[in-house]
Amino acid sequence: MTWNNLLQPDLILHGSVLQLTQEIIQQYGLKGLVLDVDETLVPFTVGTPSPELRQWVEEIRVNVDLWLVSNNLSEARIGSIARALNLPYYLGAAKPSRRKIRAALQAMDLPAHQVGMVGDRLFTDVLAGNRLGMFTVLVEPIIHPDAALRSHPVRNFEVWISEILGASITPKRSVVNKK
């Protein structure tokens, strides 16, 4: 697999993970989702999930298995968020390493192509998911309202490097722009 294929998300949502609807999940035949935590579900500076995220999880879990897989090493942070959402989790995943994502896939008892890897980073979430043959979904980071004007230099750098390597931030499938 070439770099442009490894870094190319299957789906790009113009908005946060909250824009990932049941309809979209069904459209792509997904039975499970592996979710990154920091800035995908919860701003890095916040320790608890928002009411909107809690509601989204409750609606989505009806039809798909959900697992949290985070690079963060903080049991206090990731464990607290996972317990608040009542979701199983792995921390310290070292993505793009595939080990803990494979463990989540095994726990779900689903083939990789039926599971979406959802995250806000190309060189961790998308790369790891593509290496496993998962359906990859790139979302915009969730940021704290007080930091709304903050830029994402690491993410911007990843986009720039991925374009140099031949990937475009044009998804393989379709872009969803839902208000």
Side-chain angles (χ1 to χ4, degrees), residues 56-87:
W56 179 84
V57 166
E58 289 307 314
E59 291 170 4
I60 296 299
R61 75 172 357 131
V62 171
N63 294 316
V64 296
D65 287 335
L66 299 173
W67 269 80
L68 305 182
V69 177
S70 176
N71 282 354
N72 195 315
L73 293 170
S74 172
E75 169 63 36
R77 176 176 169 71
I78 303 304
S80 173
I81 292 168
R83 286 185 290 280
L85 296 171
N86 192 27
L87 292 176

Side-chain angles (χ1 to χ4, degrees), residues 133-146:
M134 298 171 74
F135 184 87
T136 52
V137 181
L138 182 67
V139 298
E140 291 179 13
I142 289 182
I143 57 172
H144 191 278
D146 294 341

